[in-house]
Amino acid sequence: ASRWYYCTKATFDLERLSGHYVRLFCESARLLGRFSKSQLEHGFSAVMSGCTFSVKNLIWNTNLPFEHRKRVIKSMFYLYRDFFSVEPLRYRANSWLEGLCYVWEVGQRQRSKGGEDSDMQDVLFTTMSEILSIDSDECRNAALHGLSHLHHPGTLELLQRHRSTFSYLEKWCDE
């Protein structure tokens, strides 16, 4: 059976929706204790699904100015710092960034095309770089997982700067 959010046929004001996501991510600590873990997992599954109102669809919707989409991605730092560092929701924290970056892994987006492909890749890279500074193994591992799919040209240099924090990066950085 399909989840309810795949059956929605609603239309959205894209600027308002992006604003709601920015607020949700920036104020995500408020969710802790207000909802059960099951409710949070379900809600975050909807947000990252491929449904009409998902973040995945929103960040590639060119009907929404790039600056709005950029704000949504950058606000995810607060989602990781204030929420996922406390409650990673099983695999949700780890798969969140991977889900956004996988389009580079499979070649749907390519930096060489320039434009939004490289601009969005840069925004995601910067955001994950900031997430690496959060004192949480769950958050750091999620950022590393996302970076492994992003294929950004600055990834190796970034990992080399963090190699003392992540001993298991030693081998990867030396290859």
Side-chain angles (χ1 to χ4, degrees):
S2 195
R3 296 201 181 236
W4 66 266
Y5 42 83
Y6 284 111
C7 301
T8 59
K9 300 292 183 215
T11 57
F12 301 94
D13 176 304
L14 296 174
E15 287 189 22
R16 285 186 68 197
L17 181 60
S18 71
H20 289 310
Y21 276 132
V22 169
R23 183 175 177 206
L24 173 68
F25 300 156
C26 289
E27 299 177 14
S28 57
R30 295 176 55 203
L31 301 173
L32 297 167
R34 293 182 95 176
F35 299 95
S36 71
K37 188 172 181 172
S38 176
Q39 289 171 318
L40 291 166
E41 287 174 347
H42 192 74
F44 278 109
S45 289
V47 169
M48 278 309 292
S49 71
C51 73
T52 57
F53 60 84
S54 73
V55 167
K56 277 185 183 180
N57 283 335
L58 184 71
I59 67 167
W60 293 112
N61 190 327
T62 57
N63 291 321
L64 180 65
F66 185 79
E67 280 305 309
H68 290 273
R69 294 180 279 145
K70 178 180 176 178
R71 255 182 266 142
V72 171
I73 297 297
K74 294 192 76 50
S75 68
M76 288 181 190
F77 168 80
Y78 302 101
L79 174 66
Y80 276 86
R81 186 191 71 187
D82 302 337
F83 183 83
F84 284 141
S85 66
V86 177
E87 177 49 76
L89 297 178
R90 293 187 299 176
Y91 62 88
R92 299 285 184 297
N94 197 321
S95 63
W96 190 278
L97 295 169
E98 172 208 16
L100 296 176
C101 297
Y102 202 70
V103 292
W104 282 275
E105 179 79 18
V106 297
Q108 289 175 318
R109 300 287 174 180
Q110 297 174 4
R111 186 171 188 81
S112 61
K113 289 182 181 177
E116 293 217 347
D117 282 15
S118 64
D119 292 345
M120 188 61 75
Q121 189 183 42
D122 289 343
V123 173
L124 283 159
F125 178 79
T126 300
T127 303
M128 287 185 283
S129 300
E130 293 168 356
I131 291 169
L132 280 175
S133 71
I134 297 171
D135 188 18
S136 161
D137 286 343
E138 193 73 42
C139 293
R140 290 176 181 154
N141 288 333
L144 290 170
H145 193 179
L147 286 164
S148 74
H149 295 294
L150 187 63
H151 300 281
H152 189 277
T155 300
L156 183 59
E157 180 185 332
L158 175 67
L159 296 180
Q160 288 174 333
R161 284 197 319 260
H162 286 277
R163 70 194 298 171
S164 63
T165 307
F166 308 102
S167 59
Y168 54 87
L169 290 179
E170 289 293 328
K171 183 180 177 193
W172 197 27
C173 289
D174 291 336
E175 291 179 353

